[in-house]
């Protein structure tokens, strides 16, 4: 499923830029995905905590099938427009929204409680592993004349079929979980939000995730034009950069996975996000494509380390019965990232790709410092609240 997502995302960005030649077109597609995430995220998390994870996975896969088959047909008929692509990528966003809480809640069912943080780290490694090869495969398919844009979505459909087959091998639970009192969906959503807002460590971790992810991954909106027009890497350039970004994330994720239970978790994750921002700014000044690949590797390393550590922090601070809803709320970060991507695309069109990337990196580094300061203050307040002085009678 992760391979499907990364293949599709590589194709979406390349096809959108091919249609109009504008960064803002890639941003519009990103906006459609973000809107789907934003609208469906609260319901998706509640559903993941209430219904069969197996069925939910099959539902989200069906969204991907409709998207891939429709886009392939429209491309082969040469009638694809940005408007039609927005509709299809909206379905893609709905599928992604269902996937994250379903797979995470499923993991929570099979991983021991004391290993939840490490389980989250392992999932992030899987995420970066698939992201390290899928974009390269997408770049090869997109640039291969015999396959092209339409054929790439046919390949996505084939991979979806394999994903569906893999889900059928997962055993059904021995007995369905039945609660004594079935709350309404809106009540479950409120309980999930209350859990986040009422748990200081979780509130800081969730806010940090949303704010930093919002900025960190919006660079993908500018990379197609940066690779093709600025660095002269052609249609395959974005896929190669995306894959290199993921390889950096995989390496860093493996390196920090063992730190998921570290008492210095906050320091590590915010240092990684500061490093991420500075790496983005440095990559903006790359004189050629090979140098940019070195820069994007370090950007990916910062992103991979942050993702691995922040998800560990979120699950470590959350109660197991809220995993589905809490993880669904992380989709807000991805949703806003896609919405913010439209703004970044417009800025890049009005200025230059280099200027947009440099400014974004500096903003991200500064924001990370601010979030780190908030996290430290929150920890200090929590420590002070449990240090109750003892007085003699």
């Amino acid at each position: 499923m992760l391979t499907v997502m990364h293949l599709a995302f590589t194709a979406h960005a390349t096809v959108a830029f091919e249609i109009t030649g504008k960064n803002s077109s890639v941003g519009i597609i990103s906006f459609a995905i973000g809107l789907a995430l934003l609208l469906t995220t609260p319901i998706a998390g509640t559903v993941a905590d209430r219904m069969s994870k197996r069925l939910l996975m099959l539902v989200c896969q069906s969204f991907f099938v409709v998207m891939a088959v429709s886009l392939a047909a429209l491309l082969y008929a040469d009638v694809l427009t940005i408007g039609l692509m927005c509709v299809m990528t909206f379905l893609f966003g709905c599928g992604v929204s269902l996937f994250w809480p379903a797979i995470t809640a499923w993991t929570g069912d099979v991983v021991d409680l004391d290993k939840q943080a490490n389980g989250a780290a392992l999932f992030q490694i899987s995420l970066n592993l698939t992201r390290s090869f899928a974009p390269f495969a997408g770049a090869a398919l997109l640039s291969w004349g015999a396959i092209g844009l339409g054929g790439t979505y046919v390949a996505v459909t084939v991979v979806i079929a394999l994903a569906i087959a893999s889900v059928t091998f997962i055993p059904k639970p021995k007995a369905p979980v039945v609660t004594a009192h079935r709350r309404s969906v809106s009540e479950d959503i409120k309980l999930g939000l209350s859990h986040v807002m009422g748990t200081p460590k979780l509130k800081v971790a969730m806010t940090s995730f949303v704010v930093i992810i919002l900025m960190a991954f919006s660079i993908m909106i500018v990379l197609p034009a940066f690779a093709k027009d600025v660095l002269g890497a052609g249609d395959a350039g974005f896929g190669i950069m995306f894959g290199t970004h993921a390889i950096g994330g995989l390496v860093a994720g493996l390196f920090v996975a063992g730190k998921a239970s570290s008492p210095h978790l906050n320091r590590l994750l915010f240092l990684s996000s500061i490093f991420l921002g500075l790496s983005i700014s440095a990559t903006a000044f790359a004189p050629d494509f090979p140098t940019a690949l070195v820069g994007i590797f370090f950007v990916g390393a910062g992103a991979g380390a942050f993702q691995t550590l922040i998800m560990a922090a979120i699950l470590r601070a959350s109660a197991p019965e809220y995993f589905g809803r809490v993880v669904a709320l992380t989709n807000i970060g991805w949703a806003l990232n896609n919405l913010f991507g439209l703004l970044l695309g417009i800025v890049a069109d009005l200025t230059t790709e280099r200027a947009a990337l440099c400014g974004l990196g500096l903003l991200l580094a500064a924001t990370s410092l601010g979030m780190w300061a908030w996290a430290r203050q929150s920890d200090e307040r929590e420590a002070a609240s449990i240090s109750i002085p003892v007085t003699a009678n």
Side-chain angles (χ1 to χ4, degrees):
M1 284 293 290
L2 291 171
T3 301
V4 168
M5 291 183 190
H6 300 318
L7 274 175
F9 182 78
T10 303
H12 293 339
T14 303
V15 171
F17 186 70
E18 284 293 318
I19 291 175
T20 65
K22 294 181 179 180
N23 292 292
S24 55
S25 294
V26 186
I28 290 171
I29 297 304
S30 176
F31 184 90
I33 297 173
L35 185 62
L37 289 171
L38 202 59
L39 293 177
T40 58
T41 282
I43 297 175
T46 299
V47 169
D49 284 333
R50 292 163 66 109
M51 69 176 286
S52 163
K53 315 301 185 296
R54 180 195 191 91
L55 177 59
L56 191 57
M57 286 288 287
L58 292 173
V59 170
C60 78
Q61 287 166 335
S62 69
F63 280 111
F64 290 159
V65 170
V66 172
M67 172 214 69
V69 171
S70 299
L71 285 173
L74 290 167
L75 283 165
Y76 279 125
D78 197 23
V79 294
L80 181 62
T81 64
I82 287 294
L84 289 172
M85 196 171 181
C86 280
V87 174
M88 295 301 109
T89 51
F90 183 88
L91 289 178
F92 175 74
C94 291
V96 172
S97 180
L98 292 171
F99 171 77
W100 292 118
I103 198 67
T104 305
W106 213 343
T107 302
D109 290 341
V110 299
V111 179
D112 292 338
L113 185 61
D114 62 338
K115 294 290 191 294
Q116 291 291 347
N118 301 88
L122 183 60
F123 179 77
Q124 291 302 315
I125 290 171
S126 301
L127 173 65
N128 286 315
L129 175 63
T130 53
R131 199 170 64 190
S132 68
F133 68 80
F136 287 110
L141 292 170
L142 289 163
S143 59
W144 187 5
I147 301 295
L149 304 181
T152 300
Y153 284 105
V154 173
V156 170
T157 306
V158 172
V159 180
I160 295 172
L162 295 174
I164 293 173
S166 72
V167 170
T168 63
F169 286 102
I170 301 175
K172 294 181 179 180
K174 294 180 180 179
V177 177
V178 180
T179 57
H181 171 65
R182 176 63 74 183
R183 293 180 294 268
S184 68
V185 172
S186 62
E187 287 176 323
D188 270 344
I189 292 173
K190 290 177 182 177
L191 281 173
L193 288 171
S194 297
H195 176 59
V196 172
M197 299 306 295
T199 310
K201 284 184 179 295
L202 182 56
K203 180 169 66 173
V204 172
M206 284 289 292
T207 305
S208 300
F209 180 94
V210 169
V211 172
I212 292 172
I213 289 295
L214 178 155
M215 292 183 282
F217 283 85
S218 61
I219 65 167
M220 297 301 171
I221 303 304
V222 179
L223 287 188
F226 185 59
K228 183 176 182 178
D229 293 346
V230 178
L231 301 174
D235 289 336
F238 171 66
I240 295 171
M241 293 192 80
F242 188 17
T244 303
H245 180 282
I247 292 173
L250 175 61
V251 172
L254 288 169
F255 182 75
V256 304
K259 307 294 184 182
S261 300
S262 169
H264 306 295
L265 185 58
N266 274 348
R267 180 190 305 172
L268 293 171
L269 69 89
F270 286 115
L271 284 174
S272 67
S273 64
I274 293 169
F275 176 79
L276 168 59
L278 296 178
S279 297
I280 291 173
S281 293
T283 303
F285 296 100
D288 50 41
F289 190 62
T291 306
L293 289 181
V294 174
I296 209 69
F297 174 87
F298 287 109
V299 171
F306 175 77
Q307 279 184 278
T308 301
L309 295 171
I310 195 66
M311 285 306 298
I314 287 172
L315 291 185
R316 198 164 77 175
S318 175
E321 62 269 24
Y322 289 99
F323 278 172
R325 278 162 286 184
V326 168
V327 173
L329 288 173
T330 64
N331 275 337
I332 294 175
W334 295 110
L336 294 177
N337 160 69
N338 283 278
L339 302 180
F340 184 78
L342 175 58
L343 175 61
L344 184 65
I346 294 172
V347 170
D349 283 337
L350 293 175
T351 57
T352 66
E353 287 80 10
R354 291 189 188 276
L357 288 173
C358 180
L360 176 69
L362 294 176
L363 178 62
L364 176 56
T367 302
S368 297
L369 280 171
M371 299 302 295
W372 189 6
W374 180 35
R376 292 182 64 179
Q377 289 176 357
S378 178
D379 287 345
E380 289 170 0
R381 284 196 296 269
E382 183 177 355
S385 68
I386 61 176
S387 300
I388 303 174
V390 178
T391 59
N393 291 324

